[in-house]
Amino acid sequence: MKTTDRGVRTRNKEETRRRIFEAAATEFAALGYSGATLDGIADKASCSKALVIRYFGTKEDLYRTVLNSKYAELSQREGFHALSEANSVVDLLRGILSDLFAFNREHPSFARLVAWENLNGAEHLDPEAARTARGPGWTKLRSILEGAKLKGMVREDVDVARLVYALQAVTVVYFSNRHTMSILTGFSFESPDTMQGFVDFYAELLAQGIATNGGRRE
């Protein structure tokens, strides 16, 4: 077989895997683990069910691959290292939340995947794989917040692990509830201006609870 033929086949396989992955992310986000089927995923990816199984294994294998890949993408997307020079806790939190909001805006399936998995009691989540995928992002975030403590910006008694959870929680809730809350509140939650407004609001709100007097300065 010619080298060029092998190259074409490799590219075709990679493209097929990408289509299957994207189709699976869409189906699992829309229907949850129980509602999605390999037949439906194959149909959306324009390939056979046998090919889906060949590349990704069982439905649970594929689901875990999608969820853990999204966690890993989020960890890679977070550029928290750039926040080490923030002059105030508000600026620090605004930068963190901006990254989290940007990821969720660019990956609309993520909040739905997480919501479905929580509704199912994390039944299909592989704990070790999920921690490995999400770990780098959380480690970066903890490091930045611990650094802010050392600088005297964040109070010594603040539990960094709980703060990390709070930052993740307000972001996921914003995107998972945006459709119903848009009707109830009149806010256009898809608007970049509304998103930025909530980033600023959350940053200022959380800063009130964790900043030292010196850390509150803008």
Side-chain angles (χ1 to χ4, degrees), residues 108-129:
S109 65
F110 180 70
R112 292 180 64 89
L113 286 166
V114 172
W116 276 114
E117 187 58 17
N118 278 283
L119 285 171
N120 291 323
E123 179 182 359
H124 303 287
L125 189 69
D126 181 332
E128 184 175 351

Side-chain angles (χ1 to χ4, degrees), residues 68-184:
N68 289 332
S69 293
K70 292 296 182 182
Y71 277 135
E73 285 180 47
L74 175 55
S75 290
Q76 293 168 6
R77 173 68 176 76
E78 293 161 333
F80 297 145
H81 60 280
L83 302 175
S84 58
E85 303 303 318
N87 294 318
S88 71
V89 174
V90 172
D91 284 343
L92 179 64
L93 294 175
R94 185 182 291 120
I96 293 169
L97 287 163
S98 292
D99 268 354
L100 294 174
F101 267 62
F103 176 83
N104 278 272
R105 186 177 64 248
E106 295 162 10
H107 299 80
S109 65
F110 180 70
R112 292 180 64 89
L113 286 166
V114 172
W116 276 114
E117 187 58 17
N118 278 283
L119 285 171
N120 291 323
E123 179 182 359
H124 303 287
L125 189 69
D126 181 332
E128 184 175 351
R131 283 192 289 266
T132 297
R134 194 66 192 97
W138 282 44
T139 298
K140 284 188 288 185
L141 182 47
R142 289 191 186 99
S143 176
I144 289 294
L145 294 171
E146 291 292 356
K149 271 190 179 184
L150 292 175
K151 291 180 180 179
M153 295 168 62
V154 172
R155 295 197 332 263
E156 281 295 325
D157 62 325
V158 170
D159 185 333
V160 170
R162 291 175 189 265
L163 178 58
V164 168
Y165 175 82
L167 290 163
Q168 302 282 343
V170 295
T171 305
V172 171
V173 167
Y174 179 98
F175 285 91
S176 63
N177 290 8
R178 66 190 186 279
H179 300 298
T180 53
M181 292 305 294
S182 179
I183 293 171
L184 293 171

Side-chain angles (χ1 to χ4, degrees), residues 4 35 44 46 66 105 107-108 139 188 193:
T4 53
K44 189 174 288 290
S46 300
V66 168
R105 186 177 64 248
H107 299 80
T139 298
S188 176
D193 289 340

